[in-house]
């Protein structure tokens, strides 16, 4: 125990929640490792091996000391200046000495950063690993991210699932201790069915190998996932197919098995008449199967499953899974056939009974608004308003279909299928699905002007409506996902020549008069620009973003070009001086009292102000023309020529002259200069 050795801790449990397994294992390992580092049992740079299977959490930490290094302890007491009175220790000093178990004369002094204080120094012998390990494990269990705990048997302990075993092994030596009412052992259990019985762990370093060889358990989550992926890829390749599965399904299946075996199965070809999204979803979500696609991306009637049982004849496993899937697919086929008996538009009256929000109304009222808003946006995009209006009106009709009732994830997708079966225009059908995009960060944008119009209408109606009744996101609370909706709007308007402020006004006008707050449009516009600032931060510098967004732009597809122009301007040798001068101008204008009048050349008293006025008037038409032509870089570059007259003005002219008329005229000249500077962006925000 005095030497360093590998430490193994394993908790043997009932089946753990699969979607939380990785987080539980990582938290368990991190806390134990951190606590050992704090107590100096391991070096600060040590890395632990994390193990997690459906029935166990384990951590393996190399080079753990059996005994903690001796601890040098320094206790600080009263200040030296106040510790003695008339040659005798004060009660505070005497009490401090007693608490340390020594006489006052045995105390030393130290400096605490402010003053000299009495101190007591001692050396405490390091504790053994066995004396602290059970407490460390208990601390790790209390910190697990598991909000729901349970009790079992007659024990007064709680954990995510009942716990049946505890292993604490240092090298080849068992460490005694009790956790969750269990005494530590060197015995664990292997696979529930494939293992021959208890598995003895002879040495902490042999944990993973022993479990695999004797217990038929691959303890490492990452190794198990890699093996599953490899076996699935091999099986799919034999069928000339590709796997249709998100990473989350690989993770979940890995958390469900300890000894993965990949098997091939199939279903009747008649089910392929059901939209493949329905079949794929039920296979993935309900059964944790891996659907297969052909070279054209079409679903085939074969699938792969990962079993936790190895057998010489897997026919019964395959047959059982096929029977279960057949029942699921039969339900999907029934829903699909039943839904086709009613047109989408005939379902709209049922939306009246689906509450959207009790202050805003039902889904039927909502789709009426969506239709109006989408038609207006389509007109602004130069697209067919009637098609956009129709798509907006049908956008939520599939919410009351049997298929979407069973699989809410298919909303929009089923609407597209049913709209096409109803004979709706293809762009209308595509817009019904596309209007949910982008659904998350990095998701694709809706394709085509009609789909974009409906998607914008959907997200803007949500933001304006929810914000307008006072349900504004605060801190990390955003129950209606307004931030996500705003990001979706921004991604779309960055790609289209649309005026965001105009879109917000159109959206607000679609609601009943007096329902929303009067300031909702301005507030949501500001909210969107704040989200835009965060969105742009990955590609642009913060001062450049601030300079552009300070102008509260509304046609956002121009913002990237303006940002590029600001970045180019900032690289000019004149930029720093002009930004500083503009900041000075901004501060002067803030202090100006009353209304700023027009510039009067007759009131100029200095050559420098005449020269600056002439330069501004000469430059203004060119800057305005370039701005109108969207040549933002050219407009900003023109401003570089103002450095000399601006510097001369501030060097030779007293703005705050005693003569009020002269002072007002000079302030008016600076206002004219600021307006020219800020035509593209607020240059003052580039000043350091």
């Amino acid at each position: 125990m005095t030497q360093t050795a590998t430490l193994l801790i394993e908790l043997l449990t009932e089946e753990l929640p699969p979607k939380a397994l990785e987080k539980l294992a990582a938290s368990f390992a991190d806390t134990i490792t951190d606590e050992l580092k704090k107590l100096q049992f391991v070096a600060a740079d040590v890395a632990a091996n994390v193990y997690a299977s459906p029935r166990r959490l384990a951590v393996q930490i190399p080079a753990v000391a059996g005994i903690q290094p001796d601890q040098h302890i320094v206790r600080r007491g009263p200040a030296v200046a106040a510790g003695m009175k008339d040659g005798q220790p004060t009660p505070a000093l005497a009490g401090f000495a007693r608490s340390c178990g020594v006489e006052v004369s045995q105390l030393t002094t130290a400096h605490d950063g402010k003053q000299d204080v009495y101190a007591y120094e001692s050396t405490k012998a390091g504790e053994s690993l066995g004396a602290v390990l059970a407490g460390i494990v208990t601390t790790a269990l209390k910190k697990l991210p598991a909000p729901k705990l349970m009790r079992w048997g007659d024990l007064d302990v709680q954990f995510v699932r009942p716990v049946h075993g505890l292993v604490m092994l240092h090298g080849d030596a068992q460490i005694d201790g009790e956790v969750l009412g269990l005494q530590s052992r060197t015995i664990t259990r292997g696979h529930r069915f494939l293992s021959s019985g208890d598995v003895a762990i002879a040495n902490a370093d042999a944990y993973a190998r022993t479990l695999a060889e004797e217990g038929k358990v691959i303890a490492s989550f990452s190794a198990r996932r890699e093996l599953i992926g490899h076996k699935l890829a091999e099986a799919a390749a034999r069928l000339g197919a590709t796997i249709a599965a998100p990473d989350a399904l690989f993770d979940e299946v890995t958390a469900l098995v300890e000894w993965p075996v990949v098997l091939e199965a199939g279903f009747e070809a008649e089910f392929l008449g059901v939209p493949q999204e329905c079949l794929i979803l039920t296979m993935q979500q309900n059964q944790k199967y891996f659907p297969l696609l052909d070279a054209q991306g079409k679903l085939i009637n074969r699938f792969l499953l990962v079993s936790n049982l190895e057998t010489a004849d897997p026919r019964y496993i395959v047959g059982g899974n096929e029977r279960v899937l057949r029942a699921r697919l039969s339900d999907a086929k029934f829903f699909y056939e039943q839904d086709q008996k009613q047109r989408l538009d005939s379902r709209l009256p049922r939306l009246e009974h689906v509450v959207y929000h009790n202050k805003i109304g039902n889904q039927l009222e909502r789709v009426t608004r969506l239709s109006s808003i989408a038609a207006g946006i389509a007109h602004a995009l130069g697209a067919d308003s009637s098609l956009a209006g129709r798509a907006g009106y049908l956008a939520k009709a599939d919410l009351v279909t049997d298929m979407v009732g069973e699989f809410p994830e298919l909303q929009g997708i089923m609407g597209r299928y049913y709209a096409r079966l109803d004979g709706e225009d293809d762009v209308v059908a595509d817009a019904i699905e596309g209007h949910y995009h982008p659904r998350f960060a990095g998701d694709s944008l809706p394709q085509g002007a009609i789909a974009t119009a409906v998607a914008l209408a959907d997200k803007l109606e949500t933001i304006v409506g929810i914000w307008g009744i006072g349900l504004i996101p605060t801190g990390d609370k955003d129950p209606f996902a307004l931030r996500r909706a705003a990001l979706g709007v921004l991604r779309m308007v960055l790609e289209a020549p649309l005026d965001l402020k105009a879109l917000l006004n159109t959206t607000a006008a679609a609601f009943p008069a007096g329902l929303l707050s009067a300031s909702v449009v301005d507030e949501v516009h500001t909210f969107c620009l704040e989200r835009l600032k965060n969105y742009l931060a990955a590609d642009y510098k913060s001062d450049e973003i601030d300079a552009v967004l300070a102008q509260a732009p509304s046609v956002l597809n121009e913002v990237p070009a303006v940002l590029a122009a600001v970045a180019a301007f900032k690289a000019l040798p004149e930029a720093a001086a002009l930004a500083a001068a503009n900041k000075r101008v901004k501060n002067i204008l803030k202090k100006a009292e009353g209304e700023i009048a027009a510039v009067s050349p007759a009131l100029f008293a200095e050559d420098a102000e005449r020269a600056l006025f002439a330069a501004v008037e000469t430059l203004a038409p060119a800057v305005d023309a370039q701005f109108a032509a969207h040549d933002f870089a050219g407009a900003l570059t023109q401003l570089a020529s103002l450095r000399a007259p601006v510097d001369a003005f501030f060097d030779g002219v007293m703005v705050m002259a005693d003569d009020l008329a002269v002072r007002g005229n000079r302030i008016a000249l600076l206002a004219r200069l600021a307006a020219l500077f800020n035509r593209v962006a607020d240059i003052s925000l580039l000043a350091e």
Side-chain angles (χ1 to χ4, degrees):
M1 289 291 291
T2 59
Q3 303 298 318
T4 63
T6 298
L7 174 67
L8 170 70
I9 301 168
E10 184 205 61
L11 211 62
L12 185 70
T13 72
E14 294 290 341
E15 275 72 6
L16 293 160
K19 292 184 179 179
L21 182 61
E22 273 195 289
K23 290 182 179 179
L24 292 173
S27 173
F28 183 67
D30 288 347
T31 303
I32 290 174
T33 306
D34 289 346
E35 291 297 316
L36 290 172
K37 288 177 180 179
K38 288 178 186 176
L39 296 175
Q40 299 179 326
F41 280 99
V42 292
D45 60 350
V46 74
N49 295 317
V50 184
Y51 297 100
S53 82
R55 301 174 61 215
R56 71 200 72 235
L57 298 177
V59 58
Q60 187 185 62
I61 307 168
V64 178
I67 297 178
Q68 179 189 41
D70 291 346
Q71 305 295 299
H72 181 65
I73 300 171
V74 178
R75 291 184 58 189
R76 290 179 171 80
V80 171
M84 305 290 288
K85 185 175 182 181
D86 299 328
Q88 297 297 319
T90 62
L93 180 58
F96 174 68
R98 282 196 305 274
S99 71
C100 296
V102 297
E103 299 295 329
V104 171
S105 60
Q106 294 176 272
L107 296 175
T108 60
T109 61
H111 194 74
D112 67 357
K114 295 181 180 179
Q115 58 185 344
D116 289 330
V117 297
Y118 285 97
Y120 175 68
E121 297 185 42
S122 63
T123 299
K124 178 184 176 184
E127 293 188 275
S128 70
L129 181 62
V132 300
L133 190 57
I136 290 174
V137 175
T138 300
T139 297
L141 297 182
K142 289 179 179 178
K143 290 185 176 182
L144 289 180
K148 294 183 180 180
L149 302 176
M150 61 189 301
R151 290 186 173 88
W152 60 95
D154 58 357
L155 300 175
D156 190 26
V157 295
Q158 297 182 78
F159 192 57
V160 187
R161 293 291 186 270
V163 180
H164 298 302
L166 170 68
V167 172
M168 296 196 303
L169 194 59
H170 187 235
D172 56 6
Q174 176 184 326
I175 296 180
D176 294 328
E178 180 179 310
V179 176
L180 296 177
L182 293 168
Q183 290 293 330
S184 64
R185 305 190 303 165
T186 60
I187 302 295
T188 186
R189 296 177 191 168
H191 192 283
R192 193 180 289 277
F193 305 110
L194 301 178
S195 175
S196 59
D198 288 344
V199 177
I201 308 298
N203 187 284
D205 288 311
Y207 174 69
R209 184 180 69 255
T210 303
L211 265 182
E213 293 174 354
E214 300 180 24
K216 291 291 185 178
V217 171
I218 299 174
S220 168
F221 187 96
S222 58
R224 210 162 58 249
R225 192 186 192 283
E226 184 178 354
L227 178 62
I228 289 170
H230 177 69
K231 287 185 173 182
L232 285 170
E234 280 188 338
R238 285 196 299 269
L239 293 168
T242 56
I243 296 170
D247 287 343
L249 181 59
F250 283 87
D251 292 339
E252 189 173 0
V253 169
T254 302
L256 287 169
V257 298
E258 290 190 315
W259 191 257
V261 177
V262 172
L263 301 173
E264 179 192 333
F267 57 88
E268 289 76 6
E270 65 182 86
F271 291 118
L272 293 175
V274 179
Q276 70 178 43
E277 292 90 344
C278 309
L279 307 182
I280 289 172
L281 186 64
T282 194
M283 281 191 273
Q284 292 176 347
Q285 182 171 291
N286 297 121
Q287 303 307 127
K288 315 306 175 189
Y289 298 155
F290 293 83
L292 296 170
L293 306 178
D294 64 17
Q296 288 71 45
K298 299 295 183 182
L299 185 70
I300 65 174
N301 63 326
R302 305 297 293 169
F303 65 93
L304 302 176
L305 63 98
V306 180
S307 173
N308 193 36
L309 194 61
E310 187 175 51
T311 175
D313 185 2
R315 285 180 298 170
Y316 294 105
I317 297 175
V318 171
N321 281 278
E322 287 179 340
R323 282 195 301 275
V324 172
L325 181 61
R326 187 178 300 116
R328 290 283 188 181
L329 298 186
S330 294
D331 287 344
K333 184 172 181 289
F334 174 77
F335 293 144
Y336 183 55
E337 291 171 349
Q338 288 298 110
D339 283 342
Q340 292 180 60
K341 294 178 180 179
Q342 295 182 59
R343 290 178 55 86
L344 274 182
D345 52 13
S346 71
R347 297 177 181 274
L348 288 170
R350 292 174 58 187
L351 291 177
E352 187 175 5
H353 306 291
V354 181
V355 175
Y356 174 47
H357 189 281
N358 59 1
K359 290 185 179 180
I360 300 178
N362 55 53
Q363 286 285 6
L364 181 57
E365 293 170 317
R366 187 176 185 225
V367 295
T368 303
R369 289 194 294 269
L370 292 184
S371 179
S372 171
I373 299 166
I377 297 173
H379 178 73
L381 289 171
D384 190 320
S385 296
S386 62
L387 289 177
R390 180 67 175 172
Y393 196 50
L394 296 175
K396 306 298 179 182
D398 67 348
L399 296 180
V400 289
T401 62
D402 292 339
M403 187 71 84
V404 174
E406 180 71 13
F407 301 109
E409 299 87 350
L410 294 175
Q411 60 186 356
I413 295 172
M414 295 314 302
R416 173 170 60 85
Y417 277 105
Y418 295 144
R420 286 185 171 173
L421 289 171
D422 289 346
E424 299 287 349
D425 193 295
D426 283 352
V427 296
V428 171
D430 291 341
I432 292 173
E433 178 185 359
H435 88 278
Y436 285 104
H437 292 234
R439 297 156 297 181
F440 48 83
D443 191 22
S444 61
L445 296 178
Q447 299 299 304
I450 302 299
T452 299
V454 183
L456 280 170
D458 180 52
K459 292 169 176 58
L460 288 169
E461 195 272 348
T462 297
I463 302 169
V464 172
I466 297 299
W467 191 292
I469 59 173
L471 299 177
I472 300 171
T474 55
D476 60 349
K477 295 181 180 179
D478 185 12
F480 296 95
L482 300 191
R483 294 188 180 100
R484 184 174 63 194
L487 183 58
V489 168
L490 292 169
R491 287 186 59 196
M492 285 184 277
V493 297
L494 281 169
E495 301 288 335
L498 293 168
D499 187 316
L500 179 59
K501 200 71 168 286
L503 296 182
L504 293 172
N505 278 309
T506 298
T507 304
F511 286 86
L515 177 63
L516 308 181
S517 64
S519 58
V520 63
V521 168
D522 289 335
E523 291 176 2
V524 171
H525 185 248
T526 300
F527 170 69
C528 288
L529 292 184
E530 285 297 318
R531 303 304 301 162
L532 179 60
K533 181 177 179 179
N534 296 333
Y535 179 69
L536 295 171
D539 299 313
Y540 300 95
K541 295 180 179 178
S542 59
D543 60 342
E544 296 166 3
I545 297 171
D546 290 341
V548 174
L549 298 189
Q551 306 299 82
S554 196
V555 182
L556 300 186
N557 71 324
E558 296 178 345
V559 166
V562 178
L563 281 165
V566 169
F569 171 79
K570 201 169 78 167
L572 296 175
E574 300 88 353
L578 287 172
N582 205 43
K583 184 176 182 179
R584 185 174 177 182
V585 169
K586 192 174 181 179
N587 291 333
I588 292 172
L589 294 177
K590 280 182 182 178
K591 299 175 183 177
E593 298 178 358
E595 185 177 346
I596 297 176
V599 180
S600 173
L603 292 173
F604 290 149
E606 303 289 345
D607 289 340
E609 57 186 327
R610 295 187 185 93
L612 179 59
F613 178 70
V616 168
E617 291 302 301
T618 300
L619 200 60
V623 171
D624 290 342
Q626 287 171 313
F627 184 84
H630 305 286
D631 182 7
F632 307 114
L636 284 174
T637 303
Q638 292 274 3
L639 298 177
S641 64
L642 289 175
R643 177 176 179 179
V646 168
D647 287 347
F649 177 87
F650 282 116
D651 288 342
V653 177
M654 175 67 70
V655 177
M656 308 307 285
D658 293 335
D659 188 319
L660 294 181
V662 173
R663 179 193 304 179
N665 197 54
R666 289 172 179 170
I667 289 174
L669 174 57
L670 293 181
R672 179 78 175 96
L673 175 66
L676 186 63
F677 266 113
N678 296 335
R679 192 77 172 88
V680 175
D682 187 345
I683 300 303
S684 69
L685 296 177
L686 300 178
E688 295 182 357

